[in-house]
Amino acid sequence: VIHGTDVELTNYVENALRSGLAAKEKKDALAKTPKAGLGHMSFYNGTEVKRVQGATLLKAIKGAIADLHEDFRENAKVAMRYADYVDIIEGLSNGTTNFFDAPPEKIIGKPVEFIDAAVDPIVGDFNYFRINYDAMTYDTDKNVDSGDYLFVLTAWYDQKRSLNSAFRIAEVVPTP
């Protein structure tokens, strides 16, 4: 197939490998319990990122936005699950008003990125979150017995928040 088609199969496979790497980067950044040695990459690990609590998720998110320093608040975004956002909308609608056609930025107060792995919403200026690559190599090999081509992407990278104070995690703590 690789030699008998005019489709750029190698580029297609390399793009798919890069997409897989992006998924791994996101998984590492949002891991509640990161693998050994990868804890510094996760927003949720330890006490490095301040947690802001609220009685409801919307109050926690608004509190997290308000708790950011004004320099970070200006460019802040919210990373949260879509299911949590829909719950907020339903609570605000209260059976009388339809907020489903309103943009998330109008409801939350800041631009929203929907990420299913963001168990607790992350609020902050994501300009202070970097992924650093030491090296990235693509390898191709052919199994001469079966005729299969093997494609491998090896990447050495590190994710780092240059300022933990640019981020907050919104947590719901219901009042008794």
Side-chain angles (χ1 to χ4, degrees):
V1 172
I2 200 166
H3 296 293
T5 181
D6 58 357
V7 176
E8 293 190 29
L9 189 59
T10 302
N11 287 340
Y12 177 81
V13 171
E14 287 179 357
N15 286 338
L17 289 170
R18 279 192 293 274
S19 293
L21 177 60
K24 176 156 179 22
E25 293 164 356
K26 186 188 302 185
K27 181 181 174 186
D28 289 341
L30 299 172
K32 274 288 208 182
T33 53
K35 293 181 180 177
L38 300 179
H40 67 284
M41 293 189 199
S42 174
F43 279 96
Y44 298 120
N45 190 40
T47 58
E48 294 175 354
V49 177
K50 184 177 178 182
R51 285 158 165 56
V52 177
Q53 299 174 342
T56 66
L57 190 57
L58 183 58
K59 287 183 180 182
I61 292 170
K62 286 183 174 184
I65 293 168
D67 193 62
L68 284 172
H69 188 274
E70 63 189 44
D71 294 339
F72 306 128
R73 192 179 324 125
E74 185 176 326
N75 295 319
K77 292 183 180 178
V78 179
M80 66 184 296
R81 295 186 304 186
Y82 183 73
D84 292 336
Y85 175 72
V86 171
D87 288 343
I88 290 172
I89 296 273
E90 286 177 359
L92 291 173
S93 296
N94 199 21
T96 58
T97 309
N98 182 9
F99 287 104
F100 285 96
D101 56 351
E105 185 173 350
K106 188 171 184 176
I107 302 296
I108 302 293
K110 290 291 176 185
V112 177
E113 248 343 282
F114 294 116
I115 304 172
D116 288 338
V119 178
D120 294 324
I122 301 167
V123 177
D125 186 345
F126 286 89
N127 292 319
Y128 293 96
F129 177 69
R130 296 276 186 245
I131 300 174
N132 303 311
Y133 289 95
D134 288 335
M136 203 163 44
T137 59
Y138 294 93
D139 292 319
T140 308
D141 196 8
K142 180 181 177 186
N143 184 327
V144 292
D145 293 330
S146 67
D148 293 334
Y149 279 86
L150 306 171
F151 295 87
V152 177
L153 168 63
T154 305
W156 293 269
Y157 71 95
D158 187 38
Q159 298 180 19
K160 196 74 173 161
R161 291 173 304 280
S162 52
L163 283 175
N164 286 322
S165 59
F167 300 96
R168 301 291 184 268
I169 295 174
E171 293 180 327
V172 178
V173 178
T175 55

